[in-house]
Amino acid sequence: MKSMRSLHSHTRLLALIASIALPFASAQPKPVTAERIIAADSEPQNWLAHGRTYGEQRYSPLKQVNDGNVDKLGLAWSYATNSTRGLQATPIVVDGRMYATGVWSVVYALDAKTGKELWAYDPQVPREWGRYACCDAVNRGVALWGDALYFATLDGRLISLDARTGKQRWEINTIDRTKPYTITGAPRVIKGKVLIGNGGGEYGVRGYFSAYDADTGRLAWRFFTVPGNPRDGFESPEMEAAAKTWTGEWWTGGGGGTVWDSMAYDPDLDTLYVGTGNGSPWARSIRSPGGGDNLYLSSILALDPDTGRLKWHYQVTPGDNWDYTATQHMILAELPIGGKPRKVLMQAPKNGFFYVIDRVTGELLSADKYIPATWASHVDMKTGRPVETPEGDWSKETKLIVPAAFGGHNWHPMAFNPQTGLVYIPAMQPAGIYPPSTEFLRTGKYTRQEMFWNPGVDWNNYANTVYAILAQTGGNLPQDRGYLKAWDPVAKKTRWEIEYPAFWNGGLLTTAGNLLFQGTGDGRFVAYSADQGKTLWSVPTMVGIVAPPVTYSVDGEQYIAVLAGYGGAGAVTGGDPRTMASGKYLNEGHILAFKLGGTAPLPKISERNLDIPEPPASTATAAQVENGKYRYAATCMVCHGALVVSGGVVPDLRRLTAEKHSIFKQIVYDGVIHSAGMPRMGDLVSEQDVADIQAYIIERSQQDRAAAATAAAKK
Ligand code: CA
């Protein structure tokens, strides 16, 4: 009996040890492999890769949450990122752990069931680098491979961490650090190689993307997207061919073509697809004065992922002239076209046309407007080329063109639901002012503003045209609209659509539960029926959402998670703060996870003080204010917003305190608060310019104080 008891207690002890050890063992995710990602549908509880699968459909087979019970969704947990700028990441979820990125490229590892932080990693991005980011200090997420995690930083580094501990494995530099490159995109890992591009097309850089060995960080290959100076020799036969489509001394402006977001992979065809960006500068008359298509700007590239050699390309906007990138989300699917199943690639690039392409051959199958674009009448299916309109030609005079540089669709991911056959597009209809450079029209020369936003337009024209249109329309720029569109890629038309108050809204997730999830710029998280677009559930997040939701499950419970934190180009440069949550509330970032019956309270978000304080008295002359207006548009507007009206993500300068006004020169010219994210501008503007910018800000503050007083008196 004694020995039995002893054996029994020994067994109990073992069981006790096992019960202590097991949670640790099971809490560690299993290594992520190509086989797992390719067979992602066999483990729908996870979200293993950026678009869930290599084909990037953003469709989940999970259906515990469905159109019959979605109204029972409640918050399961929230995690405060302690940031007030844009959150754009797709969380990766592996075996109960979530990995996401936030502002300034910080990485978070959380328990996906509770939201408890497991570790966080701050790569210490120098805040001065924010000056090179056209579109906010954002990051779109991580990739996992084996037990390692990969992400890139705003200042161009690629870093690998141990996903279990957050300890650094390696860090490499991917850019020429004397050039204003930035990285906001998520890396992808294919066959043991980490793929990453970069941004900077508005800053005079030359685009490329690279493949690095996942174990060592060693460069495997690099594909430049536009040719450099032919005198330096060509890196590849692709560049030699591309150079024939450029004229003049294009390399002096960098050329552009940056690969800042979209990639997809077909393991059966062993083909990598990459979308490329706009021309640098935007104005093609400056960039390539003798004309030409300017390969491989605004193109979809199909490549061999082992070698980086090009298989085929399709250029959506030949000779781009409008910042019409093809870096937008690409979805791989099989569609019945002409009665035959075809392996297709689908994209809704900025230019307003929805493209269906045979991804085996690169053959264009259809190209149809998903918004009323005015720059081209149609795409000629014989040549595969857009037919440009006179309305789109801004080479000689300022034009208002749809879409604006924000695009008919920007980086916000779409989703494809194989059950409905619909592609859901976070679509926009912004109108853009394109003013040609008066210097270039007069002299045939264009003075580049080095190391700064530099798209080849004229800011005097820009500001004056904005004021003329505002005067005509009583204060509203026309047609800045935001939509959710359900696009039928076979019938080539919109099946249904929802119009939103803000034009800049969130990415999409669709599920087998006949659901479609989207966050909005006005601060809601909404579930629609995927087939009909009926609103089934909605919660006020009070924070605008641009990130795409994901879904996963832990211990048999399905979660829907999304990052809430407004940001990106449409939030900093554009947008009407009256339509955006960030115009009314502080933009306090959170990761939110919902489940059926969740009872956690939504985070309390602070209201913004919208009063415009009395600015200091100004003695500036009208000519100085005019110079300040021009300098503001050229130097400040890209982050602080047109007409000194900010969407709230970056400080609204009409609300500067007396203390900030008193050190305005030190802030702007000397950079005394650069560690807070406001870079030094002393190399771009003179001390007199800074004084004039301040005078212009004071004038705008006074104008809007007076307008607010008049409005209050009318009430
Ligand atoms: Ca661009």
Side-chain angles (χ1 to χ4, degrees):
M1 261 324 262
K2 198 172 179 230
S3 69
M4 274 294 281
R5 273 184 69 133
S6 153
L7 185 65
H8 183 65
S9 40
H10 185 64
T11 310
R12 277 186 58 182
L13 186 66
L14 279 179
L16 187 67
I17 291 166
S19 73
I20 293 164
L22 261 176
F24 288 101
S26 65
Q28 289 298 350
K30 292 193 292 290
V32 174
T33 60
E35 292 71 26
R36 281 185 81 182
I37 298 175
I38 291 167
D41 284 354
S42 68
E43 45 176 310
Q45 69 275 21
N46 289 319
W47 191 284
L48 297 173
H50 191 65
R52 197 182 74 86
T53 58
Y54 276 138
E56 307 244 341
Q57 293 188 353
R58 291 180 178 270
Y59 163 81
S60 169
L62 291 180
K63 53 185 179 188
Q64 185 184 71
V65 180
N66 56 55
D67 55 359
N69 62 14
V70 68
D71 60 331
K72 308 281 190 303
L73 272 189
L75 191 68
W77 55 261
S78 66
Y79 173 84
T81 56
N82 296 313
S83 62
T84 55
R85 292 180 70 169
L87 298 176
Q88 299 189 344
T90 296
I92 301 294
V93 181
V94 187
D95 304 332
R97 288 193 168 197
M98 175 185 287
Y99 307 91
T101 55
V103 181
W104 300 113
S105 328
V106 173
V107 185
Y108 306 101
L110 308 178
D111 182 318
K113 186 184 167 101
T114 63
K116 186 176 151 264
E117 184 184 298
L118 302 171
W119 54 260
Y121 182 93
D122 183 349
Q124 304 290 336
V125 172
R127 299 308 191 243
E128 301 89 273
W129 216 272
R131 176 172 139 173
Y132 307 140
C134 63
C135 308
D136 203 357
V138 293
N139 190 284
R140 286 184 288 278
V142 307
L144 265 79
W145 187 259
D147 293 322
L149 174 150
Y150 303 87
F151 75 105
T153 66
L154 193 71
D155 63 326
R157 292 169 288 150
L158 180 67
I159 298 178
S160 175
L161 307 177
D162 185 318
R164 299 163 295 191
T165 61
K167 295 256 167 14
Q168 192 187 102
R169 295 173 69 236
W170 51 255
E171 168 179 328
I172 55 149
N173 170 46
T174 74
I175 59 167
D176 173 349
R177 304 197 77 78
T178 66
K179 301 236 163 67
Y181 285 101
T182 50
I183 305 182
T184 55
R188 314 292 202 277
V189 187
I190 292 164
K191 300 171 83 180
K193 291 187 178 70
V194 188
L195 293 146
I196 192 71
N198 47 51
E202 276 67 45
Y203 294 72
V205 304
R206 182 186 178 199
Y208 62 88
F209 57 100
S210 317
Y212 296 92
D213 183 275
D215 289 331
T216 63
R218 235 199 10 237
L219 181 68
W221 53 259
R222 172 165 292 171
F223 188 96
F224 285 96
T225 58
V226 298
N229 186 344
R231 246 195 306 188
D232 300 337
F234 297 109
E235 292 87 354
S236 63
E238 288 89 342
M239 285 303 96
E240 192 168 3
K244 298 189 172 77
T245 67
W246 292 72
T247 53
E249 299 188 337
W250 70 85
W251 57 90
T252 60
T258 51
V259 175
W260 54 266
D261 194 55
S262 179
M263 297 183 197
Y265 174 61
D266 182 329
D268 294 334
L269 299 171
D270 195 20
T271 300
L272 164 71
Y273 303 94
V274 172
T276 72
N278 56 277
S280 172
W282 293 350
R284 68 180 167 209
S285 53
I286 298 174
R287 189 179 68 236
S288 183
D293 284 353
N294 296 180
L295 292 171
Y296 298 92
L297 295 182
S298 304
S299 299
I300 295 164
L301 310 177
L303 305 111
D304 180 328
D306 295 323
T307 62
R309 299 303 303 272
L310 192 63
K311 294 186 177 184
W312 56 257
H313 75 275
Y314 176 76
Q315 189 174 36
V316 301
T317 311
D320 166 50
N321 200 22
W322 306 268
D323 187 15
Y324 287 167
T325 66
T327 48
Q328 280 57 49
H329 182 191
M330 294 176 288
I331 291 177
L332 311 186
E334 193 167 284
L335 291 183
I337 294 190
K340 259 194 355 209
R342 300 285 291 259
K343 286 175 187 286
V344 304
L345 178 154
M346 298 183 279
Q347 189 190 48
K350 277 188 183 179
N351 75 16
F353 288 87
F354 189 95
Y355 294 84
V356 181
I357 293 169
D358 181 318
R359 72 173 180 273
V360 183
T361 62
E363 182 198 350
L364 177 67
L365 301 176
S366 65
D368 298 272
K369 287 184 185 178
Y370 62 91
I371 56 146
T374 63
W375 70 281
S377 58
H378 64 287
V379 171
D380 181 334
M381 290 304 293
K382 280 207 197 79
T383 62
R385 300 173 66 90
V387 179
E388 292 182 19
T389 60
E391 292 96 304
D393 178 6
W394 59 285
S395 60
K396 299 280 188 293
E397 57 182 333
T398 300
K399 292 279 174 65
L400 191 68
I401 299 167
V402 177
F406 297 120
H409 165 225
N410 205 292
W411 67 271
H412 317 80
M414 309 187 293
F416 171 69
N417 190 320
Q419 293 180 328
T420 63
L422 298 173
V423 177
Y424 306 98
I425 314 172
M428 303 182 286
Q429 195 175 307
I433 297 161
Y434 289 86
S437 159
T438 40
E439 181 200 12
F440 184 75
L441 290 179
R442 212 172 47 239
T443 67
K445 290 203 178 72
Y446 178 72
T447 310
R448 288 194 34 204
Q449 191 166 227
E450 291 294 333
M451 300 296 276
F452 200 63
W453 205 47
N454 189 37
V457 302
D458 188 294
W459 298 115
N460 268 325
N461 268 349
Y462 182 89
N464 292 334
T465 308
V466 172
Y467 281 109
I469 292 171
L470 286 171
Q472 280 167 21
T473 60
N476 291 304
L477 287 173
Q479 289 178 307
D480 267 2
R481 293 180 183 157
Y483 299 94
L484 165 58
K485 295 207 182 209
W487 179 264
D488 184 331
V490 176
K492 303 182 281 187
K493 61 181 188 190
T494 301
R495 287 284 181 206
W496 53 259
E497 68 182 33
I498 309 268
E499 186 168 355
Y500 288 127
F503 85 109
W504 189 253
N505 298 291
L508 291 157
L509 162 71
T510 187
T511 75
N514 188 30
L515 290 174
L516 177 66
F517 290 92
Q518 187 182 27
T520 66
D522 60 312
R524 290 174 294 140
F525 188 46
V526 190
Y528 302 97
S529 62
D531 54 354
Q532 292 178 2
K534 256 195 267 176
T535 303
L536 301 177
W537 172 82
S538 170
V539 287
T541 53
M542 319 303 258
V543 171
I545 294 173
V546 286
V550 299
T551 186
Y552 59 92
S553 67
V554 186
D555 295 340
E557 277 190 303
Q558 186 184 353
Y559 294 77
I560 319 285
V562 70
L563 276 65
Y566 208 47
V572 294
T573 314
D576 179 344
R578 290 171 299 186
T579 67
M580 312 187 314
S582 58
K584 297 178 205 106
Y585 302 95
L586 296 186
N587 193 35
E588 292 161 341
H590 286 86
I591 304 176
L592 306 171
F594 299 87
K595 65 173 184 178
L596 293 176
T599 55
L602 283 162
K604 285 212 168 24
I605 306 297
S606 320
E607 265 188 71
R608 210 177 269 291
N609 179 356
L610 294 179
D611 293 340
I612 299 174
E614 170 83 54
S618 169
T619 54
T621 64
Q624 285 170 340
V625 175
E626 188 68 16
N627 180 51
K629 180 168 86 177
Y630 165 69
R631 293 292 169 190
Y632 177 88
T635 317
C636 317
M637 181 182 78
V638 63
C639 290
H640 289 281
L643 310 173
V644 202
V645 178
S646 153
V649 176
V650 170
D652 189 310
L653 302 179
R654 296 170 304 168
R655 303 198 175 95
L656 282 182
T657 60
E659 192 236 330
K660 290 272 165 58
H661 267 296
S662 74
I663 57 164
F664 193 85
K665 190 223 124 193
Q666 288 92 315
I667 293 173
V668 180
Y669 192 80
D670 303 323
V672 292
I673 58 165
H674 68 86
S675 59
M678 171 60 209
R680 175 182 176 269
M681 295 288 173
D683 58 327
L684 297 176
V685 285
S686 68
E687 291 191 41
Q688 185 59 51
D689 288 334
V690 174
D692 295 351
I693 289 169
Q694 188 176 15
Y696 171 60
I697 290 170
I698 289 171
E699 184 185 271
R700 287 289 302 113
S701 306
Q702 284 165 340
Q703 285 169 347
D704 287 359
R705 268 175 69 82
T710 309
K714 270 189 196 151
K715 279 187 190 163

